[in-house]
Amino acid sequence: MSQPDAAADDPSPSPSPNPPPPPVAWPEDGALTREWVAGLTATLDWCSRSLPADRLPDVLPAALVQRLVLAASVILHREPNLVRVDPRPDQAVVVVGDVHGQLHDVIFLLRDAGFPSDDRVFVFNGDYVDRGAWGLETFLLLLAWKVLLPNSVFLLRGNHESKYCTSVYGFEQEVNFKYKGQGPQVYRKFLRCFEDLPLATIIAGCVYTAHGGIFRGTIVMPSKRTKKGKKGNKYKANSSVDPTLMKLGSLDELLKARRTVLDPPWEGSNLIPGDVLWSDPSLEMGLSSNKERGIGLLWGPDITQQFLYTNNLKLIIRSHEGPDARDKRHDLLGMDNGYTIDHHVECGKLITLFSAPDYPQFQASEDRYNNCGAYIVLNPPDFSTPVFHSFEAVKPRPKANPYYDFEDVIDSDEELNLGAMDDGSASTLPVASPSLTSLFSAAAAAGVRTLGSPASVRLCSHRQRRRRLVVAFVRWRYKGTARKEAALSELIERKVAEATEACAGEAAGEAGCRVAWDEVEEVSQAKAGLRHQIAQGADDPLEPFCFHNPLADDCAVVYDDDDDE
């Protein structure tokens, strides 16, 4: 097991006797070098230890951040959903799982595994941000390596590379805290980059890697015509949860899927990416809906065997489940060593890989999970025999606080580490692996009131409690959820039709087309939040009336930018 050298680790970001480095500047000739990336690494490490987080723009200007993100996005956008990584006989391939903003552990991993080069290829399985203090720095560092060595570094998308997760689990708040007035603009650049991240790789023709795992095939069914008199039928993919209708998807379907929508609906042309990012293995045979997460699949050893056999593969390497998730999965092994072998079938193995040690960073307990992280090395000539490297966390980490917006209503003698507790108590929001259902059910158990689709986390007062946690959502008041759901369904259909028409004459990446699908995403996200709304009775006195009178004027959909719920 690798032991990080913590001798140089300062315990807190207190002022350093060394002068701050000069602001990072883009190379004059526009070409990154290994020296430039090494300098960026040193600067990010110094800032994390010696500079208050909101002073980061003094050394890492917003313009530089946006230029680096854009340069990487251009490269990522050209890559297909399924990237073929074909190493030479003298190259090794390193596969990395979730890192969740743990910058110092990522720096150690890169050094321990051997930096990306012409002789060493890296494949990262997503979840670069959220739950750690340095998601922005971590993702930027990996983007810099991608720009420098585009054929030796491959960055896949995780489920946390989404608007939904980053608005709940810390990354949006982190960017806005560090870059203040420029934060929203920088954050939007990151969201655009997330859209461009590929979904999976095939390494050396025999290893499939993806964040969540496998995916179902789409079932094509005729849908309603959008306009009277229009000739021909329109078709859409059916995301029915009926297990008898599910079938394993093909790599060709994965290549053709549309990956640019970051959030719900995970259906239709976006069904496959939803599965790839959110699915989990099981010891139960067959293919079924992942009810615990509310999205994606559960698949058994027989499906692993089928996927490997059909595609002539020997390994599946996925991530997505850390020690917190595995604590709740008594059918599968724990994540103490940073990896598990979940299925061992005739054609090969299914491996879960997790690369964030001592996880999660924002945890109430000093010990947290005390887990190791791991990475896998695939060596020539066959690349199908995984060599596991477990490593411990770099300790002590610089001290950091979660980037959430608190109202100052906590007792002075009591600390609340929001986004970090995992005991499900009434004052916390669990940090277990997020889902569309578990997040809301856990909030219900904790007495949390929800208001829509996730936007921020805050504290507010309550006349019956000294404090309570509120998961705030898009600023739309609810006046009759039954009526609003129907209205949003109609609006989604209209927006999808408009987006399809807007994209008919231009490429999917063009501005007009992307804006049209952004509108679909926003409305769909609102409906997803509404569908999982809990404990709304006390917040919506019209609900009982509107349930029986959905067409009443008082039950019409009302949009309101005021958030003083």
Side-chain angles (χ1 to χ4, degrees):
M1 180 184 298
S2 302
Q3 300 286 339
D5 180 6
D9 295 335
D10 297 328
S12 64
S14 56
S16 170
N18 298 323
V24 178
W26 195 258
E28 291 184 3
D29 61 359
L32 301 192
T33 63
R34 296 184 73 89
E35 292 73 21
W36 191 91
V37 175
L40 176 66
T41 303
T43 296
L44 296 177
D45 186 47
W46 183 91
C47 290
S48 71
R49 303 176 187 284
S50 307
L51 201 66
D54 58 354
R55 293 278 308 280
L56 183 63
D58 295 349
V59 178
L60 199 67
L64 182 281
V65 171
Q66 295 183 68
R67 184 166 183 177
L68 178 55
V69 172
L70 179 59
S73 296
V74 170
I75 297 171
L76 294 166
H77 184 75
R78 291 197 294 259
E79 294 180 337
N81 291 341
L82 177 64
V83 179
R84 297 276 178 174
V85 179
D86 296 314
R88 300 189 311 268
D90 61 339
Q91 287 181 309
V93 179
V94 179
V95 184
V96 182
D98 300 22
V99 294
H100 281 296
Q102 298 186 190
L103 173 68
H104 310 91
D105 299 318
V106 170
I107 293 174
F108 167 80
L109 185 156
L110 290 167
R111 183 175 69 248
D112 191 62
F115 293 104
S117 67
D118 291 337
D119 299 325
R120 189 166 295 264
V121 176
F122 275 73
V123 174
F124 292 86
N125 244 358
D127 276 12
Y128 311 106
V129 302
D130 285 340
R131 296 211 181 97
W134 300 283
L136 184 150
E137 292 90 337
T138 298
F139 192 46
L140 281 180
L141 177 59
L142 297 181
L143 291 180
W145 279 109
K146 179 64 179 178
V147 174
L148 175 64
L149 297 170
N151 297 319
S152 296
V153 176
F154 297 93
L155 305 177
L156 302 184
R157 185 177 158 195
N159 65 301
H160 276 266
E161 279 70 64
S162 68
K163 183 185 294 184
Y164 167 75
C165 284
T166 55
S167 66
V168 174
Y169 290 93
F171 182 64
E172 180 182 11
Q173 291 87 350
E174 175 189 346
V175 175
N176 288 334
F177 181 84
K178 290 177 177 177
Y179 282 90
K180 302 301 181 184
Q182 294 176 294
Q185 182 180 358
V186 174
Y187 176 63
R188 285 195 296 271
K189 287 291 190 299
F190 279 114
L191 292 182
R192 291 298 188 191
C193 186
F194 293 163
E195 292 181 355
D196 292 322
L197 291 168
L199 301 175
T201 68
I202 296 289
I203 301 172
C206 63
V207 180
Y208 170 84
T209 78
H211 181 71
I214 57 92
F215 50 93
R216 79 194 87 180
T218 55
I219 303 171
V220 179
M221 299 179 63
S223 65
K224 297 178 181 179
R225 296 180 182 180
T226 57
K227 294 181 180 179
K228 279 189 175 183
K230 191 166 184 178
K231 295 181 179 180
N233 289 327
K234 285 182 174 275
Y235 292 87
K236 65 179 180 179
N238 184 358
S239 57
S240 172
V241 298
D242 185 352
T244 62
L245 297 179
M246 288 187 187
K247 64 182 181 70
L248 187 61
S250 69
L251 297 183
D252 186 57
E253 287 178 297
L254 174 57
L255 278 168
K256 295 177 180 177
R258 186 169 64 88
R259 74 183 192 232
T260 54
V261 173
L262 291 177
D263 291 292
W266 287 290
E267 59 189 15
S269 59
N270 202 37
L271 174 63
I272 287 176
D275 285 348
V276 170
L277 298 178
W278 286 86
S279 294
D280 295 306
S282 171
L283 297 184
E284 297 288 333
M285 296 295 183
L287 200 62
S288 61
S289 296
N290 195 335
K291 295 180 180 178
E292 177 65 24
R293 292 191 186 272
I295 179 176
L297 305 171
L298 291 175
W299 81 92
D302 57 327
I303 303 300
T304 292
Q305 168 70 10
Q306 181 184 347
F307 187 81
L308 293 174
Y309 178 80
T310 301
N311 299 297
N312 195 27
L313 302 170
K314 296 180 180 179
L315 284 179
I316 298 173
I317 303 177
R318 46 90 62 176
S319 301
H320 194 37
E321 289 183 292
D324 54 343
R326 284 300 172 93
D327 265 5
K328 300 171 178 61
R329 299 286 306 277
H330 302 299
D331 56 328
L332 296 174
L333 297 174
M335 198 55 63
D336 293 342
N337 295 320
Y339 68 92
T340 59
I341 300 176
D342 299 321
H343 296 162
H344 197 161
V345 297
E346 181 180 354
C347 285
K349 300 174 183 176
L350 165 68
I351 297 167
T352 296
L353 178 66
F354 194 76
S355 303
D358 197 31
Y359 173 85
Q361 185 179 50
F362 294 148
Q363 176 74 17
S365 167
E366 291 183 0
D367 293 333
R368 290 185 281 270
Y369 277 95
N370 201 30
N371 63 293
C372 290
Y375 60 90
I376 290 174
V377 178
L378 304 173
N379 290 308
D382 64 350
F383 298 98
S384 62
T385 303
V387 180
F388 298 98
H389 294 261
S390 293
F391 62 95
E392 295 180 349
V394 174
K395 293 182 179 179
R397 293 187 180 103
K399 292 181 180 179
N401 296 314
Y403 301 108
Y404 293 109
D405 180 21
F406 292 126
E407 292 181 14
D408 187 17
V409 296
I410 308 176
D411 295 342
S412 59
D413 60 345
E414 185 172 1
E415 294 181 359
L416 177 61
N417 196 5
L418 184 60
M421 296 185 178
D422 193 43
D423 58 4
S425 62
S427 298
T428 70
L429 181 66
V431 297
S433 192
S435 70
L436 290 180
T437 54
S438 62
L439 176 63
F440 290 89
S441 60
V448 175
R449 178 172 62 99
T450 63
L451 306 175
S453 76
S456 62
V457 182
R458 62 181 181 176
L459 292 175
C460 69
S461 59
H462 191 280
R463 58 189 175 186
Q464 295 180 346
R465 295 176 183 239
R466 297 183 64 184
R467 61 186 178 276
R468 68 171 179 164
L469 178 66
V470 173
V471 182
F473 296 91
V474 286
R475 298 161 181 174
W476 295 351
R477 295 190 190 278
Y478 289 89
K479 294 197 175 176
T481 55
R483 171 60 179 161
K484 181 165 186 177
E485 183 168 11
L488 288 175
S489 296
E490 295 174 2
L491 187 57
I492 289 172
E493 288 189 11
R494 188 168 75 249
K495 291 294 182 183
V496 168
E498 292 173 357
T500 302
E501 185 174 351
C503 297
E506 55 181 307
E510 295 296 328
C513 179
R514 294 180 71 170
V515 168
W517 281 111
D518 281 349
E519 293 180 359
V520 174
E521 173 194 343
E522 291 173 1
V523 180
S524 300
Q525 185 176 359
K527 182 182 176 183
L530 174 66
R531 190 178 298 157
H532 295 88
Q533 183 189 5
I534 61 168
Q536 70 265 29
D539 301 313
D540 188 359
L542 280 174
E543 182 64 26
F545 170 77
C546 291
F547 179 81
H548 297 288
N549 303 275
L551 301 181
D553 290 341
D554 286 340
C555 300
V557 179
V558 175
Y559 299 90
D560 193 339
D561 289 332
D562 182 15
D563 66 348
D564 57 346
E565 289 287 342

